Amino acid sequence: MAKPRILVVGSANVDFIMRAERVPSAGETLTSNGSYGFMPGGKGMNTALAASRMGGDTLMCARVGADSFGNRLIGFAKENGIDTRLMTIDKKRPTGLAAITVEADGTNRITVYKGANEALGDDDLEEAFMCYPDAVMLQFETNDYIVKKTIEIANEKGIPVIVDAGPARADYPLFDLGRLKVFSPNENETFTYTGIRPDSHNEYVHAVMKLAETVESDYYVLKLGGRGCYISDGKFSEILPAYNVEVVDTTAAGDAFTAAMTVEYIRTGDIIKACRYANAVGALTVSKRGSSASIPSDAEARRFMETHKIIF
Ligand code: ATP
Ligand code: RIB
């Protein structure tokens, strides 16, 4: 079977990651005995990398700055088998940067400077659809126009669109997105868009009902961290509990989950199977340090599924 061809239109950032016992309060300076490092990231880049590691034939449409970070990101994508023909250098804005603090329990806080990501425009999209993708993946870390335009073109061509709904903004024009195959927010994003904290089954149902009032999608997949995920098509729903792992760093788990779900959905046409596989990929991602560095391969994910039991 041919590899699923995935087009990612999204962000590429350099992640500055520092580990610390906790984050400082306002006005406080903390010293940290943890580690720090720079690594490739960005919701788009993590998604493209994960799609490629899961066995997808992946194209990344992105903009980086004319700086050493930008060159490094393009080189990284190439080394990881991502088609970089659609990654361009923006002369006016620097490469996107994410400042990430990871606390002792593995949770993160992220501030993103979008930089060149925000400049993605029609020129970038012109060639993107020439690759005849099986699916298009988007996140909200570029600009609203490019997200809407990409969906419009994909809808015209009948190509399924998968939206990873972060980072969330309460005033994001979700009603204007167009037709999606999957809309997938995490817990915080679900709260921002609906005002409902998805903490119980009842709230998952209500949150999806609220989302469905504004977003037209075949499936809604809520990513629920250590509780796994909730899948609904508006009529039928299912909760897939998370696999039991030790959490080291949750950064990029959502990106890896959505990419894995997309590749497996294109391979099988079965959203539940796809989310079960994505749960394994998410679990493996949280059990390693880093953003892009923590994303496993398809082989690792399948081995993991064979040897682990699901927690309830
Ligand atoms: P990110 O930190 O990248 O923003 P996210 O908040 O978008 O991640 P999460 O809901 O935290 O996404 O995680 C995505 C998926 O990863 C979950 O749906 C689940 O499958 C897996 N996952 C996350 N946390 C855990 C955990 N503690 N144990 C097992 N699996 C987990
Ligand atoms: O989802 C994780 C990503 O969010 C990081 O790689 C960072 O760049 C931000 O975009």
Side-chain angles (χ1 to χ4, degrees):
M1 187 197 164
K3 287 179 162 190
R5 203 156 164 74
I6 310 293
L7 170 64
V8 179
V9 179
S11 57
N13 297 333
V14 161
D15 289 352
F16 168 61
I17 307 182
M18 181 177 282
R19 295 187 71 91
E21 201 48 41
R22 63 173 178 87
V23 289
S25 322
E28 183 187 21
T29 302
L30 274 182
T31 55
S32 157
N33 294 325
S35 56
Y36 79 85
F38 289 89
M39 68 174 63
K43 294 192 187 300
M45 178 64 93
N46 295 337
T47 298
L49 178 67
S52 173
R53 290 202 177 148
M54 297 315 132
D57 182 5
T58 310
L59 261 111
M60 171 85 184
C61 177
R63 275 206 195 193
V64 293
D67 45 40
S68 60
F69 282 161
N71 285 327
R72 194 174 149 199
L73 285 169
I74 294 176
F76 172 81
K78 276 191 188 141
E79 283 158 24
N80 281 281
I82 298 165
D83 190 328
T84 59
R85 265 175 294 173
L86 305 168
M87 282 186 78
T88 54
I89 293 177
D90 192 272
K91 296 216 170 69
K92 294 197 182 131
R93 306 192 196 203
T95 297
L97 179 92
I100 304 178
T101 310
V102 181
E103 291 180 283
D105 67 356
T107 52
N108 62 39
R109 279 154 216 258
I110 306 179
T111 311
V112 174
Y113 175 76
K114 285 196 198 176
N117 294 306
E118 210 154 25
L120 261 184
D122 288 318
D123 295 353
D124 300 278
L125 273 190
E126 222 162 71
E127 271 187 66
F129 282 88
M130 310 274 270
C131 69
Y132 298 104
D134 295 312
V136 179
M137 295 194 66
L138 291 156
Q139 317 77 30
F140 296 156
E141 218 168 46
T142 54
N143 63 71
D144 299 359
Y145 171 78
I146 210 72
V147 170
K148 183 174 157 53
K149 188 74 192 175
T150 305
I151 296 171
E152 197 179 298
I153 301 173
N155 282 177
E156 278 165 20
K157 295 181 182 291
I159 300 164
V161 180
I162 290 82
V163 169
D164 191 315
R169 229 176 56 219
D171 65 348
Y172 198 97
L174 293 179
F175 60 87
D176 211 19
L177 281 179
R179 172 111 208 128
L180 309 180
K181 178 56 74 181
V182 185
F183 183 75
S184 182
N186 69 12
E187 291 160 296
N188 276 318
E189 290 147 13
T190 301
F191 178 69
T192 304
Y193 297 131
T194 66
I196 299 167
R197 274 213 188 282
D199 288 337
S200 69
H201 185 251
N202 205 21
E203 283 143 354
Y204 308 158
V205 174
H206 282 108
V208 167
M209 279 166 66
K210 195 94 194 264
L211 287 173
E213 287 170 12
T214 42
V215 184
E216 200 190 338
S217 187
D218 289 356
Y219 301 109
Y220 301 85
V221 175
L222 308 184
K223 292 180 287 258
L224 302 170
R227 280 173 295 129
C229 63
Y230 173 78
I231 306 131
S232 171
D233 65 2
K235 283 189 190 139
F236 300 101
S237 66
E238 187 141 348
I239 299 170
L240 296 179
Y243 294 87
N244 194 6
V245 290
E246 190 189 332
V247 180
V248 176
D249 180 350
T250 63
T251 314
D255 308 329
F257 177 101
T258 314
M261 174 194 73
T262 300
V263 172
E264 190 68 354
Y265 177 73
I266 298 299
R267 276 195 287 245
T268 64
D270 182 335
I271 192 72
I272 303 296
K273 232 184 204 173
C275 287
R276 194 165 287 126
Y277 172 75
N279 253 353
V281 170
L284 282 164
T285 305
V286 301
S287 43
K288 275 197 208 149
R289 283 187 181 195
S291 44
S292 53
S294 65
I295 298 171
S297 66
D298 173 60
E300 282 175 86
R302 292 191 192 280
R303 257 198 317 274
F304 178 88
M305 287 176 81
E306 273 171 30
T307 50
H308 283 69
K309 300 247 184 298
I310 296 174
I311 52 162
F312 287 91

PDB file of all heavy atoms in Angstrom, residues 46-72:
ATOM      1  N   ASN A  46       6.488  19.658  14.459  1.00  0.00           N
ATOM      2  CA  ASN A  46       6.291  18.425  15.237  1.00  0.00           C
ATOM      3  C   ASN A  46       5.298  17.500  14.539  1.00  0.00           C
ATOM      4  O   ASN A  46       5.461  16.279  14.521  1.00  0.00           O
ATOM      5  CB  ASN A  46       5.762  18.742  16.640  1.00  0.00           C
ATOM      6  CG  ASN A  46       6.758  19.520  17.478  1.00  0.00           C
ATOM      7  OD1 ASN A  46       7.956  19.477  17.224  1.00  0.00           O
ATOM      8  ND2 ASN A  46       6.268  20.236  18.477  1.00  0.00           N
ATOM      9  N   THR A  47       4.266  18.106  13.973  1.00  0.00           N
ATOM     10  CA  THR A  47       3.246  17.329  13.261  1.00  0.00           C
ATOM     11  C   THR A  47       3.842  16.653  12.033  1.00  0.00           C
ATOM     12  O   THR A  47       3.617  15.460  11.780  1.00  0.00           O
ATOM     13  CB  THR A  47       2.086  18.271  12.837  1.00  0.00           C
ATOM     14  OG1 THR A  47       1.506  18.822  14.015  1.00  0.00           O
ATOM     15  CG2 THR A  47       1.031  17.545  12.037  1.00  0.00           C
ATOM     16  N   ALA A  48       4.619  17.425  11.258  1.00  0.00           N
ATOM     17  CA  ALA A  48       5.233  16.864  10.050  1.00  0.00           C
ATOM     18  C   ALA A  48       6.200  15.746  10.415  1.00  0.00           C
ATOM     19  O   ALA A  48       6.234  14.685   9.780  1.00  0.00           O
ATOM     20  CB  ALA A  48       5.952  17.971   9.273  1.00  0.00           C
ATOM     21  N   LEU A  49       6.980  15.979  11.457  1.00  0.00           N
ATOM     22  CA  LEU A  49       7.948  14.963  11.881  1.00  0.00           C
ATOM     23  C   LEU A  49       7.221  13.693  12.326  1.00  0.00           C
ATOM     24  O   LEU A  49       7.591  12.573  11.941  1.00  0.00           O
ATOM     25  CB  LEU A  49       8.786  15.520  13.040  1.00  0.00           C
ATOM     26  CG  LEU A  49       9.808  14.544  13.610  1.00  0.00           C
ATOM     27  CD1 LEU A  49      10.897  14.258  12.589  1.00  0.00           C
ATOM     28  CD2 LEU A  49      10.423  15.103  14.885  1.00  0.00           C
ATOM     29  N   ALA A  50       6.165  13.877  13.114  1.00  0.00           N
ATOM     30  CA  ALA A  50       5.413  12.714  13.598  1.00  0.00           C
ATOM     31  C   ALA A  50       4.764  11.983  12.422  1.00  0.00           C
ATOM     32  O   ALA A  50       4.818  10.751  12.344  1.00  0.00           O
ATOM     33  CB  ALA A  50       4.360  13.150  14.609  1.00  0.00           C
ATOM     34  N   ALA A  51       4.190  12.722  11.494  1.00  0.00           N
ATOM     35  CA  ALA A  51       3.551  12.075  10.328  1.00  0.00           C
ATOM     36  C   ALA A  51       4.579  11.265   9.555  1.00  0.00           C
ATOM     37  O   ALA A  51       4.313  10.136   9.118  1.00  0.00           O
ATOM     38  CB  ALA A  51       2.907  13.129   9.435  1.00  0.00           C
ATOM     39  N   SER A  52       5.776  11.818   9.430  1.00  0.00           N
ATOM     40  CA  SER A  52       6.835  11.112   8.708  1.00  0.00           C
ATOM     41  C   SER A  52       7.279   9.870   9.503  1.00  0.00           C
ATOM     42  O   SER A  52       7.410   8.776   8.936  1.00  0.00           O
ATOM     43  CB  SER A  52       7.982  12.109   8.493  1.00  0.00           C
ATOM     44  OG  SER A  52       9.074  11.482   7.949  1.00  0.00           O
ATOM     45  N   ARG A  53       7.470  10.017  10.810  1.00  0.00           N
ATOM     46  CA  ARG A  53       7.889   8.860  11.630  1.00  0.00           C
ATOM     47  C   ARG A  53       6.818   7.770  11.675  1.00  0.00           C
ATOM     48  O   ARG A  53       7.133   6.607  11.874  1.00  0.00           O
ATOM     49  CB  ARG A  53       8.238   9.303  13.051  1.00  0.00           C
ATOM     50  CG  ARG A  53       9.512  10.116  13.075  1.00  0.00           C
ATOM     51  CD  ARG A  53      10.187  10.140  14.427  1.00  0.00           C
ATOM     52  NE  ARG A  53      11.431  10.877  14.295  1.00  0.00           N
ATOM     53  CZ  ARG A  53      11.985  11.608  15.256  1.00  0.00           C
ATOM     54  NH1 ARG A  53      11.404  11.683  16.438  1.00  0.00           N
ATOM     55  NH2 ARG A  53      13.123  12.243  15.059  1.00  0.00           N
ATOM     56  N   MET A  54       5.563   8.143  11.508  1.00  0.00           N
ATOM     57  CA  MET A  54       4.485   7.144  11.529  1.00  0.00           C
ATOM     58  C   MET A  54       4.324   6.458  10.172  1.00  0.00           C
ATOM     59  O   MET A  54       3.443   5.641   9.984  1.00  0.00           O
ATOM     60  CB  MET A  54       3.139   7.793  11.917  1.00  0.00           C
ATOM     61  CG  MET A  54       3.105   8.393  13.296  1.00  0.00           C
ATOM     62  SD  MET A  54       3.832   7.348  14.530  1.00  0.00           S
ATOM     63  CE  MET A  54       4.881   8.514  15.361  1.00  0.00           C
ATOM     64  N   GLY A  55       5.144   6.871   9.198  1.00  0.00           N
ATOM     65  CA  GLY A  55       5.098   6.210   7.893  1.00  0.00           C
ATOM     66  C   GLY A  55       4.416   7.033   6.818  1.00  0.00           C
ATOM     67  O   GLY A  55       4.124   6.520   5.738  1.00  0.00           O
ATOM     68  N   GLY A  56       4.150   8.294   7.085  1.00  0.00           N
ATOM     69  CA  GLY A  56       3.544   9.156   6.070  1.00  0.00           C
ATOM     70  C   GLY A  56       4.595   9.730   5.131  1.00  0.00           C
ATOM     71  O   GLY A  56       5.757   9.890   5.493  1.00  0.00           O
ATOM     72  N   ASP A  57       4.152  10.006   3.918  1.00  0.00           N
ATOM     73  CA  ASP A  57       4.993  10.695   2.947  1.00  0.00           C
ATOM     74  C   ASP A  57       4.633  12.176   3.140  1.00  0.00           C
ATOM     75  O   ASP A  57       3.558  12.598   2.725  1.00  0.00           O
ATOM     76  CB  ASP A  57       4.590  10.163   1.575  1.00  0.00           C
ATOM     77  CG  ASP A  57       5.397  10.755   0.468  1.00  0.00           C
ATOM     78  OD1 ASP A  57       6.339  11.500   0.762  1.00  0.00           O
ATOM     79  OD2 ASP A  57       5.070  10.464  -0.700  1.00  0.00           O
ATOM     80  N   THR A  58       5.510  12.926   3.819  1.00  0.00           N
ATOM     81  CA  THR A  58       5.079  14.204   4.375  1.00  0.00           C
ATOM     82  C   THR A  58       5.702  15.427   3.713  1.00  0.00           C
ATOM     83  O   THR A  58       6.906  15.476   3.491  1.00  0.00           O
ATOM     84  CB  THR A  58       5.416  14.229   5.883  1.00  0.00           C
ATOM     85  OG1 THR A  58       4.910  13.032   6.462  1.00  0.00           O
ATOM     86  CG2 THR A  58       4.800  15.421   6.582  1.00  0.00           C
ATOM     87  N   LEU A  59       4.865  16.405   3.437  1.00  0.00           N
ATOM     88  CA  LEU A  59       5.318  17.692   2.895  1.00  0.00           C
ATOM     89  C   LEU A  59       5.025  18.781   3.906  1.00  0.00           C
ATOM     90  O   LEU A  59       3.928  18.832   4.449  1.00  0.00           O
ATOM     91  CB  LEU A  59       4.489  18.028   1.664  1.00  0.00           C
ATOM     92  CG  LEU A  59       5.119  17.718   0.335  1.00  0.00           C
ATOM     93  CD1 LEU A  59       4.363  16.590  -0.292  1.00  0.00           C
ATOM     94  CD2 LEU A  59       5.063  18.955  -0.534  1.00  0.00           C
ATOM     95  N   MET A  60       5.993  19.648   4.104  1.00  0.00           N
ATOM     96  CA  MET A  60       5.803  20.716   5.091  1.00  0.00           C
ATOM     97  C   MET A  60       5.774  22.059   4.370  1.00  0.00           C
ATOM     98  O   MET A  60       6.727  22.407   3.660  1.00  0.00           O
ATOM     99  CB  MET A  60       6.980  20.656   6.071  1.00  0.00           C
ATOM    100  CG  MET A  60       7.079  21.802   7.022  1.00  0.00           C
ATOM    101  SD  MET A  60       6.045  21.461   8.434  1.00  0.00           S
ATOM    102  CE  MET A  60       6.215  22.981   9.343  1.00  0.00           C
ATOM    103  N   CYS A  61       4.680  22.798   4.532  1.00  0.00           N
ATOM    104  CA  CYS A  61       4.586  24.136   3.955  1.00  0.00           C
ATOM    105  C   CYS A  61       4.734  25.123   5.113  1.00  0.00           C
ATOM    106  O   CYS A  61       3.875  25.182   6.002  1.00  0.00           O
ATOM    107  CB  CYS A  61       3.234  24.286   3.263  1.00  0.00           C
ATOM    108  SG  CYS A  61       2.964  25.929   2.592  1.00  0.00           S
ATOM    109  N   ALA A  62       5.852  25.860   5.135  1.00  0.00           N
ATOM    110  CA  ALA A  62       6.135  26.731   6.288  1.00  0.00           C
ATOM    111  C   ALA A  62       7.074  27.849   5.876  1.00  0.00           C
ATOM    112  O   ALA A  62       7.713  27.791   4.825  1.00  0.00           O
ATOM    113  CB  ALA A  62       6.785  25.902   7.394  1.00  0.00           C
ATOM    114  N   ARG A  63       7.155  28.843   6.735  1.00  0.00           N
ATOM    115  CA  ARG A  63       8.147  29.916   6.531  1.00  0.00           C
ATOM    116  C   ARG A  63       9.046  30.027   7.736  1.00  0.00           C
ATOM    117  O   ARG A  63       8.572  30.011   8.885  1.00  0.00           O
ATOM    118  CB  ARG A  63       7.444  31.253   6.360  1.00  0.00           C
ATOM    119  CG  ARG A  63       7.037  31.479   4.956  1.00  0.00           C
ATOM    120  CD  ARG A  63       6.942  32.955   4.682  1.00  0.00           C
ATOM    121  NE  ARG A  63       6.220  33.110   3.440  1.00  0.00           N
ATOM    122  CZ  ARG A  63       6.150  34.223   2.773  1.00  0.00           C
ATOM    123  NH1 ARG A  63       6.724  35.311   3.225  1.00  0.00           N
ATOM    124  NH2 ARG A  63       5.483  34.281   1.653  1.00  0.00           N
ATOM    125  N   VAL A  64      10.347  30.183   7.455  1.00  0.00           N
ATOM    126  CA  VAL A  64      11.305  30.435   8.538  1.00  0.00           C
ATOM    127  C   VAL A  64      12.043  31.727   8.211  1.00  0.00           C
ATOM    128  O   VAL A  64      11.937  32.248   7.100  1.00  0.00           O
ATOM    129  CB  VAL A  64      12.320  29.258   8.666  1.00  0.00           C
ATOM    130  CG1 VAL A  64      11.622  27.998   9.145  1.00  0.00           C
ATOM    131  CG2 VAL A  64      13.056  29.023   7.344  1.00  0.00           C
ATOM    132  N   GLY A  65      12.803  32.256   9.163  1.00  0.00           N
ATOM    133  CA  GLY A  65      13.524  33.501   8.939  1.00  0.00           C
ATOM    134  C   GLY A  65      14.859  33.257   8.230  1.00  0.00           C
ATOM    135  O   GLY A  65      15.335  32.120   8.135  1.00  0.00           O
ATOM    136  N   ALA A  66      15.470  34.363   7.748  1.00  0.00           N
ATOM    137  CA  ALA A  66      16.783  34.266   7.084  1.00  0.00           C
ATOM    138  C   ALA A  66      17.860  34.289   8.161  1.00  0.00           C
ATOM    139  O   ALA A  66      18.694  35.190   8.223  1.00  0.00           O
ATOM    140  CB  ALA A  66      16.936  35.433   6.114  1.00  0.00           C
ATOM    141  N   ASP A  67      17.838  33.307   9.032  1.00  0.00           N
ATOM    142  CA  ASP A  67      18.797  33.263  10.141  1.00  0.00           C
ATOM    143  C   ASP A  67      19.254  31.819  10.348  1.00  0.00           C
ATOM    144  O   ASP A  67      18.758  30.904   9.677  1.00  0.00           O
ATOM    145  CB  ASP A  67      18.151  33.835  11.424  1.00  0.00           C
ATOM    146  CG  ASP A  67      16.730  33.320  11.654  1.00  0.00           C
ATOM    147  OD1 ASP A  67      16.507  32.117  11.400  1.00  0.00           O
ATOM    148  OD2 ASP A  67      15.846  34.095  12.070  1.00  0.00           O
ATOM    149  N   SER A  68      20.173  31.619  11.266  1.00  0.00           N
ATOM    150  CA  SER A  68      20.726  30.265  11.418  1.00  0.00           C
ATOM    151  C   SER A  68      19.666  29.286  11.924  1.00  0.00           C
ATOM    152  O   SER A  68      19.667  28.111  11.572  1.00  0.00           O
ATOM    153  CB  SER A  68      21.924  30.281  12.367  1.00  0.00           C
ATOM    154  OG  SER A  68      21.505  30.757  13.616  1.00  0.00           O
ATOM    155  N   PHE A  69      18.700  29.764  12.720  1.00  0.00           N
ATOM    156  CA  PHE A  69      17.621  28.893  13.194  1.00  0.00           C
ATOM    157  C   PHE A  69      16.812  28.363  11.993  1.00  0.00           C
ATOM    158  O   PHE A  69      16.438  27.193  11.947  1.00  0.00           O
ATOM    159  CB  PHE A  69      16.667  29.658  14.121  1.00  0.00           C
ATOM    160  CG  PHE A  69      17.187  29.851  15.525  1.00  0.00           C
ATOM    161  CD1 PHE A  69      16.645  30.842  16.335  1.00  0.00           C
ATOM    162  CD2 PHE A  69      18.179  29.034  16.047  1.00  0.00           C
ATOM    163  CE1 PHE A  69      17.088  31.009  17.641  1.00  0.00           C
ATOM    164  CE2 PHE A  69      18.634  29.201  17.359  1.00  0.00           C
ATOM    165  CZ  PHE A  69      18.093  30.192  18.153  1.00  0.00           C
ATOM    166  N   GLY A  70      16.541  29.270  11.052  1.00  0.00           N
ATOM    167  CA  GLY A  70      15.747  28.883   9.881  1.00  0.00           C
ATOM    168  C   GLY A  70      16.444  27.795   9.082  1.00  0.00           C
ATOM    169  O   GLY A  70      15.839  26.780   8.708  1.00  0.00           O
ATOM    170  N   ASN A  71      17.739  27.986   8.840  1.00  0.00           N
ATOM    171  CA  ASN A  71      18.497  26.981   8.092  1.00  0.00           C
ATOM    172  C   ASN A  71      18.519  25.658   8.829  1.00  0.00           C
ATOM    173  O   ASN A  71      18.412  24.584   8.239  1.00  0.00           O
ATOM    174  CB  ASN A  71      19.947  27.449   7.886  1.00  0.00           C
ATOM    175  CG  ASN A  71      20.009  28.529   6.824  1.00  0.00           C
ATOM    176  OD1 ASN A  71      19.228  28.508   5.881  1.00  0.00           O
ATOM    177  ND2 ASN A  71      20.914  29.480   7.003  1.00  0.00           N
ATOM    178  N   ARG A  72      18.650  25.761  10.136  1.00  0.00           N
ATOM    179  CA  ARG A  72      18.716  24.543  10.941  1.00  0.00           C
ATOM    180  C   ARG A  72      17.389  23.764  10.852  1.00  0.00           C
ATOM    181  O   ARG A  72      17.370  22.533  10.748  1.00  0.00           O
ATOM    182  CB  ARG A  72      19.011  24.932  12.397  1.00  0.00           C
ATOM    183  CG  ARG A  72      19.429  23.763  13.232  1.00  0.00           C
ATOM    184  CD  ARG A  72      19.857  24.192  14.616  1.00  0.00           C
ATOM    185  NE  ARG A  72      19.544  23.129  15.562  1.00  0.00           N
ATOM    186  CZ  ARG A  72      19.443  23.285  16.861  1.00  0.00           C
ATOM    187  NH1 ARG A  72      19.652  24.458  17.400  1.00  0.00           N
ATOM    188  NH2 ARG A  72      19.159  22.275  17.638  1.00  0.00           N
TER     189      ARG A  72
END
